[in-house]
Amino acid sequence: RRYQVNGIDMNVLIAGEGPEVLLVHGFPDSHTVWRKQIPALVAAGYRVIAPDTRGCGETQISAGVASYRVDNLVEDLDALLDVLGIRKVRLVAHDWGAMICWHYLIAHPERVERYIALSVGHPMVYGRGGFRQKLKGYCIALMQMQGVIEFLLPLRNWWLLRLMTGYPQEFPHWKACLSRPGRLTAAVSYYRANLGLVLGRASASVAAPIRLPVCGIWSSGDRFVTERQMTGSQQYVAGPWHYHRVEGANHWLQLSAPDEVNALLLDFLQ
């Protein structure tokens, strides 16, 4: 379905009946990254809401890098809940979606019943994750080269993207999405608009304690984020904290280890 949300036309998949679960994807994905979770959640009695975030999938592209600042992305989600008439959700997010949703939790705690973060931990811990995390996050520097990365990534059938991600099974989805006019620039604008945030210059308000149940899930085959930036998130969670390590899965653990991830989601969401 399509909705007018915070000044953009947003594409949203809605499936099932029951308590609402909001699924928020990351880079370079769309809502389809949740295709192995949605049937399981619906079968368990949940109503799933899976948007394409600003500029991604089939959601409208915004003009200017500044429109992709995290506070605006947070308000996209809040406006979506308003449009749908939803007061409170269970929240599940991955990669950039997780970064957005940590901020959502801090800005709008009254609208979240519990939160599951996949791969990316609390902004304060991620941004100060040390030298090893900076090495793993080398792609952040590449994304700052405006015009250059848009030229380099599609060369030789997106060779650089395939090299960076190391996940050939998912490459056809990314290529089909990012090859469309303006979509690659929109996707990398998340990194450009929030460089200070990912480098550890988050505002003091982000350090406010989170008094909700939070679950962090990290996979041992993740080539972009360290385990420490997830486990260290506990220091900012004043509510119940749970942590799970998924052995062998890559960064897209919801796709590479769906059975284990689904079991964790269903257990914590209850």
Side-chain angles (χ1 to χ4, degrees):
R1 309 178 191 182
R2 305 194 71 84
Y3 299 95
Q4 286 297 312
V5 171
N6 195 25
I8 60 171
D9 185 44
M10 179 176 280
N11 183 58
V12 187
L13 181 145
I14 299 178
E17 297 293 336
E20 285 89 3
V21 178
L22 179 61
L23 304 177
V24 186
H25 68 83
F27 174 89
D29 300 302
S30 68
H31 77 273
T32 62
V33 78
W34 302 110
R35 60 188 179 272
K36 296 185 179 181
Q37 283 65 55
I38 292 169
L41 290 168
V42 169
Y46 292 103
R47 182 188 184 207
V48 175
I49 298 135
D52 291 335
T53 61
R54 180 176 292 251
C56 301
E58 300 298 330
T59 289
Q60 182 179 339
I61 296 172
S62 295
V65 171
S67 64
Y68 294 90
R69 289 180 58 86
V70 72
D71 54 349
N72 204 29
L73 302 173
V74 164
E75 291 314 306
D76 286 350
L77 298 182
D78 203 49
L80 175 61
L81 296 187
D82 286 343
V83 167
L84 296 176
I86 297 171
R87 186 181 66 85
K88 203 166 191 175
V89 294
R90 291 163 169 83
L91 190 56
V92 182
H94 174 248
D95 188 79
W96 253 110
M99 183 65 76
I100 296 166
C101 288
W102 282 108
H103 283 85
Y104 189 84
L105 222 61
I106 295 160
H108 302 287
E110 74 286 353
R111 304 201 75 166
V112 181
E113 197 269 330
R114 56 188 55 224
Y115 175 45
I116 302 175
L118 275 64
S119 302
V120 174
H122 190 282
M124 296 295 286
V125 186
Y126 178 88
R128 302 173 182 177
F131 182 68
R132 187 160 175 261
Q133 179 54 58
K134 294 297 186 290
L135 283 179
K136 279 180 167 275
Y138 70 93
C139 60
I140 294 170
L142 295 179
M143 300 305 181
Q144 305 309 312
M145 299 187 293
Q146 195 161 358
V148 177
I149 200 66
E150 284 94 333
F151 171 76
L152 291 177
L153 274 181
L155 290 178
R156 297 179 59 190
N157 191 30
W158 298 79
W159 174 82
L160 184 57
L161 180 67
R162 287 184 284 126
L163 178 68
M164 288 166 53
T165 56
Y167 195 18
Q169 296 91 329
E170 197 64 9
F171 169 69
H173 293 277
W174 298 329
K175 179 182 176 182
C177 187
L178 298 178
S179 296
R180 295 173 298 154
R183 292 293 171 177
L184 176 55
T185 295
V188 298
S189 290
Y190 282 66
Y191 294 91
R192 293 170 181 167
N194 301 288
L195 180 59
L197 174 65
V198 297
L199 292 181
R201 297 195 290 270
S203 66
S205 62
V206 177
I210 296 169
R211 306 186 186 280
L212 299 166
V214 178
C215 177
I217 306 176
W218 179 84
S219 44
S220 64
D222 198 311
R223 57 168 61 189
F224 302 108
V225 288
T226 64
E227 186 172 22
R228 176 184 170 189
Q229 57 82 44
M230 181 60 82
T231 57
S233 302
Q234 181 177 5
Q235 64 185 294
Y236 294 99
V237 179
W241 164 259
H242 301 258
Y243 171 69
H244 298 278
R245 173 187 172 117
V246 177
E247 294 293 341
N250 66 17
H251 180 70
W252 291 271
L253 63 169
Q254 69 268 58
L255 292 173
S256 56
D259 292 341
E260 185 171 354
V261 169
N262 288 353
L264 293 172
L265 297 188
L266 292 174
D267 181 63
F268 187 75
L269 290 174
Q270 292 171 3

